[in-house]
Amino acid sequence: MRLPVLMLGAAVAASSAMAAPRGFTVEDMVKMERVGAPVLSPDATRVVYTVRTTDMDKNRGNTQLYLLDLRSPKAAPVRLTQADASSSEPTWSPKGDAIYFLSGRSGSSQVWRLPLAGGEAARVTSLPLDVENFRLSPQGDRLALSVAVFRDCVDLACTKKRLDQQGKNKASGKVYDKLFVRHWDTWADGRTNVLYAAPIDAAGKVSAEPVALSGKLDGDVPSKPFGDNGEYHFSPDGKTVAFSTRIAGKTEAWSTNFDVYTVPATGGEPKNLTEDNKAWDTKAIYSPDGRTLAYLAMDKPTFEADRFHLVLIDVATGKKRTVADNWDRSIADYRWTPDSKTILATADDIGQHPLFAIDAASGKVRKLTGNGYVSGFDVLKDTVVIARNDLSSGAQLYQFKLGGSGEKATQLTNVNEAALADVKFGQYEQFSFAGANGETVYGHVMKPWDAKPGVKYPVAFLVHGGPQGSFGNSWSYRWNPQVYAGAGYATVFIDFHGSTGYGQKFTDSISGDWGGKPLEDLQKGLAAAVQKFPWLDRENSCALGASYGGFMMNWIQGHWSDGFKCIVNHDGVFDTRGMAYSTEELWFTEWESGGTYYDHPEAHEKFNPALFVKNWKTPMLVVQGDLDFRIPTAQGLGTFTALQRRGIPSKLLMFPDENHWVLKPANSVLWHHEVIGWLDTYLKK
């Protein structure tokens, strides 16, 4: 059953509009509905998308599918799915008469089909194992799907039987003979993500045993831990599948050598198209006319933050050429336009994340959207639909015509309007200054929600992680400046040397210099902000950061110890030696310090916060997720032990069930109250 989304009554809307304005809270944030990426129908008249809601009682999110008719601008969205289990990855049938999606409503994750003419969703797959993700062929007669299996098993049932047997084993020990033994937040169990394909019969179901497409390769498709179906695509005729994988072997933990392969959709020997490049190749997509295969490539082996540039392969000849090589931005996502002449792509760009158009022939690049962060998009016929957010709004859908300006796009959704009707958000502004080496560095400031002229406000100085990332004009459900603005704080956040969106040279400049130019940028950036914005109370400021930002909190303790009244360190590096031997993705630490610890100990120790604990004196709140295998628990415990041993006021907030991020709604609420309470203790005395 599919029901239209009901609008709130006029009386409720009027009541909300008349309510006294208030600041944004963490409770507001965790309860917000979250709009996912749009997917256009084949005729570009409708768009399906996901909306995630939060069930605080069950302490989890729930994602369902919604439909908008673009032919009726005032039409309300229609909710397509109603099950208690989430529904995700919506895909249109070739005729536009049904939606395929992934759901665990049957007790395991399977592919379902929902007819739009009426009727209930029917299961397409009934596999003994979970379907991790999938794609529908352009003809609608075949699925490509990823399943985690033991590669020595002859079929899916074998993997299921072995898992059941393991569950009955009273011994809990596991034996490993290679890395990864654990990755992100999960211990390895011997299974690999294998890409399969299976035909869909006349009844609309997969009845035959799926055929392995990547099973002969010792690598995950898609990659772990965050890979998705963007890492494999059908050719327009449905006969070939292009995918990317990294061969595991014994070197997986220190390799970024992903390659692009093609394989017949019915099964066969995968062909490596990028064996010559030992760096990262991924996200291969055929042009709609089938003549060209595009993919993203890096140049530097073992460097995860190198620039992703676009490479095109002539399918007939195999000849490769790089497109827009002089455009110094790293592509995050892309799509072909229907005429196969243009590629739409997103990339970080001076504190924003817009959508660009790249001419496939000339490489000419044109920016299509303005400020903000384009988190998802689709293009068919002459229609472009994007999901866009910024520092004052979660993602909403917008529509504009191909060839036109996205800055004049029509807004399609307005989720959270009623829930946040009485919220007044903090005003924000981007600024620039002369940072390290006299180079231009950018940052943002945000006022408290109720800022008044002539009043100074305490400062939350936020430092982003990555370190090759950006803290720019985007909405976050973890580190959101609006929560601090709602609590009465001004915020300052700097895109220091190493940040993305300012050219690859700028991004590269942090490697081997973690405590150098970035610290100088932070010091100069805060000083520049205080000079430019007199409402910032520099004498009442606290520094906060996670991951690399957490490292910087420890580095500030040893090298800018009189800079702040308090510090918040979330999952930050404390001891670079311990980090080098305990983090899971070794390529990261080894690239950043010029090699392995045993070959280059002096480079690893150059910016080791543990060596400067004697200088520490600032009160610090330490936060650590016990499932964080990127920056393991010993790093957070080391930080807290150093603080306690030095007699410095400190607290440890430990989450036994969180990884590098705090994701569970109740934990997010606790995290924010503890963090803001720490600021209140030292900045609002």
Side-chain angles (χ1 to χ4, degrees), residues 389-444:
N389 64 75
D390 58 31
L391 281 165
S392 62
S393 174
Q396 305 288 354
L397 298 186
Y398 298 82
Q399 175 190 3
F400 63 95
K401 291 298 181 182
L402 189 61
S405 171
E407 297 188 51
K408 299 178 181 179
T410 300
Q411 187 168 341
L412 300 175
T413 61
N414 206 344
V415 299
N416 304 306
E417 181 179 26
L420 302 178
D422 58 342
V423 169
K424 183 179 179 182
F425 289 107
Q427 296 179 333
Y428 60 92
E429 181 178 339
Q430 190 176 36
F431 70 101
S432 63
F433 60 95
N437 298 331
E439 296 173 337
T440 300
V441 177
Y442 288 83
H444 278 83

Side-chain angles (χ1 to χ4, degrees), residues 152-434:
D152 61 338
C153 274
V154 296
D155 56 22
L156 301 183
C158 166
T159 292
K160 178 65 166 60
K161 182 179 180 180
R162 190 178 299 181
L163 289 173
D164 291 343
Q165 290 173 340
Q166 288 180 354
K168 298 176 183 178
N169 192 341
K170 294 181 180 180
S172 61
K174 296 182 179 180
V175 178
Y176 300 95
D177 62 0
K178 66 176 183 177
L179 299 173
F180 295 110
V181 299
R182 60 184 190 175
H183 200 178
W184 188 251
D185 60 5
T186 304
W187 285 88
D189 67 357
R191 288 184 291 168
T192 300
N193 286 345
V194 170
L195 185 64
Y196 289 85
I200 299 174
D201 62 22
K205 297 181 181 298
V206 168
S207 54
E209 177 80 10
V211 175
L213 302 183
S214 69
K216 295 181 179 180
L217 301 174
D218 180 18
D220 289 297
V221 184
S223 59
K224 296 177 182 178
F226 304 119
D228 56 25
N229 64 2
E231 295 182 18
Y232 58 92
H233 288 82
F234 281 97
S235 60
D237 61 9
K239 295 181 179 180
T240 305
V241 175
F243 65 90
S244 61
T245 192
R246 169 182 53 202
I247 301 302
K250 294 280 189 178
T251 65
E252 185 178 23
W254 54 91
S255 168
T256 62
N257 185 20
F258 285 81
D259 283 313
V260 171
Y261 294 79
T262 57
V263 64
T266 54
E269 191 73 28
K271 179 182 178 182
N272 190 342
L273 304 183
T274 60
E275 192 171 6
D276 56 322
N277 183 27
K278 303 306 178 183
W280 205 322
D281 304 293
T282 189
K283 292 188 177 181
I285 306 177
Y286 287 92
S287 60
D289 62 13
R291 297 178 179 177
T292 307
L293 180 64
Y295 66 93
L296 300 181
M298 292 183 176
D299 292 329
K300 301 171 184 174
T302 76
F303 184 29
E304 67 175 19
D306 193 19
R307 182 176 72 99
F308 265 131
H309 60 274
L310 195 64
V311 180
L312 304 184
I313 301 178
D314 185 296
V315 173
T317 66
K319 184 178 180 180
K320 299 176 185 177
R321 63 183 178 92
T322 300
V323 178
D325 203 30
N326 293 327
W327 181 51
D328 199 3
R329 294 294 181 265
S330 185
I331 296 173
D333 195 12
Y334 75 98
R335 303 279 190 282
W336 286 92
T337 56
D339 61 5
S340 301
K341 294 181 179 180
T342 305
I343 293 160
L344 304 188
T346 57
D348 284 347
D349 183 55
I350 313 181
Q352 317 294 330
H353 192 81
L355 182 66
F356 297 87
I358 306 171
D359 184 85
S362 68
K364 182 179 179 181
V365 180
R366 180 168 65 97
K367 186 161 69 171
L368 299 182
T369 61
N371 291 344
Y373 192 105
V374 175
S375 56
F377 67 96
D378 200 9
V379 54
L380 277 175
K381 294 187 180 296
D382 64 347
T383 299
V384 181
V385 178
I386 63 173
R388 175 194 167 278
N389 64 75
D390 58 31
L391 281 165
S392 62
S393 174
Q396 305 288 354
L397 298 186
Y398 298 82
Q399 175 190 3
F400 63 95
K401 291 298 181 182
L402 189 61
S405 171
E407 297 188 51
K408 299 178 181 179
T410 300
Q411 187 168 341
L412 300 175
T413 61
N414 206 344
V415 299
N416 304 306
E417 181 179 26
L420 302 178
D422 58 342
V423 169
K424 183 179 179 182
F425 289 107
Q427 296 179 333
Y428 60 92
E429 181 178 339
Q430 190 176 36
F431 70 101
S432 63
F433 60 95

Side-chain angles (χ1 to χ4, degrees), residues 1-2 48 65-67 78-82 99 114 116:
M1 180 181 294
R2 301 180 292 284
V48 64
L65 309 186
Y66 286 75
L67 180 72
V78 174
R79 179 170 171 172
L80 296 178
T81 53
Q82 310 292 327
I99 301 291
L114 178 68
L116 295 180

